[in-house]
């Protein structure tokens, strides 16, 4: 009888534990007070709200969808508010493409122990706990491998080096990338805050939605069923 390899299972269990323990801090507001204005009511109910508000009655906004991410480190904006960071000498950081190409090989290396199910499972957990506001927006910053002129302010395309081993063959000079939506700070001198559209609970909010309107748009309101797409007569 072959011995079952437990390493992938242990990794998944530990990842679940870490994600669950840290979930309360993912969308915890930077202050220790209640939600905005401090007037949120948490009536007694058999079920929690779909946006995960009132999970903490003392701090109703903790873990709620639509709240800012908590920071584990101080913000590092070039202007202290929102502009992308630069190195200490004022020059731009090395392109993210350059770093990824040198750290991760483009060659496929089969893993004899782990399968892609580990990646998909952990990706599902990540999507359940984190959905940055604006990450699904279609903002064109780099079209056909070239910088878009007069692009929106959110644009921050990834520069491709001239000697890139892959993209240089196709005359691609950039990769499309737009910055996330942020909440305007209360004071002009304060840094912006990125918003999390997901709840802090493992509740499949990326399937069922994290607001009442999202949830309603996915339901048939018949027999507890969700809407489905039919292709060739099959769901």
């Amino acid at each position: 009888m072959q011995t079952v390899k437990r390493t992938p299972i242990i990794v998944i269990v530990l990842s679940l534990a870490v994600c669950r323990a840290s979930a309360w801090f993912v969308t915890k507001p930077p202050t220790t007070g209640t939600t905005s204005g401090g007037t949120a009511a948490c009536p007694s109910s058999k079920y929690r709200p779909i946006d995960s508000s009132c999970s903490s009655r003392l701090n109703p906004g903790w873990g709620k969808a639509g709240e800012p991410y908590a920071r584990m480190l101080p913000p590092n904006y070039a202007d202290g508010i929102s502009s992308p960071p630069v190195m200490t000498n004022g020059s731009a950081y090395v392109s993210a493409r350059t770093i990824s190409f040198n750290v991760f090989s483009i060659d496929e290396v089969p893993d004899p122990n782990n399968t892609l199910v580990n990646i998909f499972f952990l990706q599902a957990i990540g999507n359940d706990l984190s959905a940055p506001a604006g990450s699904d927006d279609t903002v064109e910053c780099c079209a056909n491998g070239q910088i878009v002129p007069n692009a929106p302010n959110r644009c921050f395309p990834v520069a491709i080096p001239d000697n890139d081993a892959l993209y240089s063959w196709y005359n691609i000079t950039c990769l499309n990338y737009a910055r996330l939506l942020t909440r305007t700070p209360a004071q002009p001198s304060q840094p912006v805050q990125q918003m999390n559209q997901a709840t802090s609970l493992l509740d499949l909010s990326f399937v069922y939605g994290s607001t009442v309107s999202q949830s309603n748009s996915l339901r048939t309101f018949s027999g507890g069923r969700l809407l489905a797409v039919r292709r060739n007569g099959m769901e």
Side-chain angles (χ1 to χ4, degrees):
M1 180 180 296
Q2 293 182 342
T3 302
V4 177
K5 292 184 178 295
R6 298 180 179 273
T7 302
I9 298 176
I10 293 175
V11 170
I12 291 175
V13 171
L14 289 177
S15 299
L16 275 171
V18 171
C19 288
R20 187 65 186 90
S22 62
W24 292 101
F25 299 95
V26 171
T27 54
K28 176 182 174 182
T31 62
T32 56
T34 58
T35 51
S36 301
T39 59
C42 295
S44 177
S45 174
K46 182 179 180 180
Y47 305 102
R48 66 170 180 81
I50 193 171
D51 64 359
S52 196
S53 59
C54 293
S55 294
S56 168
R57 293 184 180 275
L58 295 178
N59 299 278
W62 285 11
K64 177 185 175 182
E67 289 293 319
Y69 285 98
R71 294 186 182 276
M72 299 183 68
L73 296 173
N76 182 28
Y77 295 115
D79 60 357
I81 299 176
S82 65
S83 63
V86 294
M87 293 194 292
T88 54
N89 61 3
S91 59
Y93 280 105
V94 176
S95 168
R97 167 61 182 173
T98 300
I99 296 175
S100 64
F101 182 80
N102 284 277
V103 174
F104 303 102
S105 172
I106 61 175
D107 298 326
E108 294 185 1
V109 181
D111 191 312
N113 298 320
N114 302 314
T115 67
L116 287 176
V117 70
N118 293 351
I119 298 176
F120 295 146
F121 185 74
L122 295 177
Q123 184 66 54
I125 294 176
N127 290 339
D128 204 354
L129 297 176
S130 177
S135 57
D136 295 331
D137 295 351
T138 302
V139 181
E140 193 172 71
C141 307
C142 178
N144 299 319
Q146 307 301 315
I147 297 291
V148 174
N150 302 318
N153 293 334
R154 288 175 56 192
C155 284
F156 192 57
V158 178
I160 302 298
D162 295 335
N163 61 346
D164 190 275
L166 177 63
Y167 290 117
S168 61
W169 289 89
Y170 304 97
N171 193 32
I172 294 178
T173 62
C174 63
L175 297 177
N176 196 65
Y177 181 78
R179 303 180 72 189
L180 301 174
L181 295 176
T182 57
R183 172 181 288 183
T184 303
Q187 301 295 330
S189 59
Q190 293 179 340
V192 296
Q193 297 173 314
Q194 286 72 30
M195 313 300 295
N196 186 11
Q197 294 177 318
T199 66
S200 65
L201 302 176
L202 290 173
D203 56 2
L204 290 178
S205 58
F206 66 96
V207 175
Y208 300 106
S210 55
T211 65
V212 174
S213 59
Q214 285 179 336
S215 178
N216 290 345
S217 68
L218 299 170
R219 300 180 181 277
T220 64
F221 294 98
S222 175
R225 300 183 181 90
L226 295 176
L227 294 172
V229 176
R230 286 184 174 272
R231 293 189 178 93
N232 299 323
M234 300 179 63
E235 289 189 358

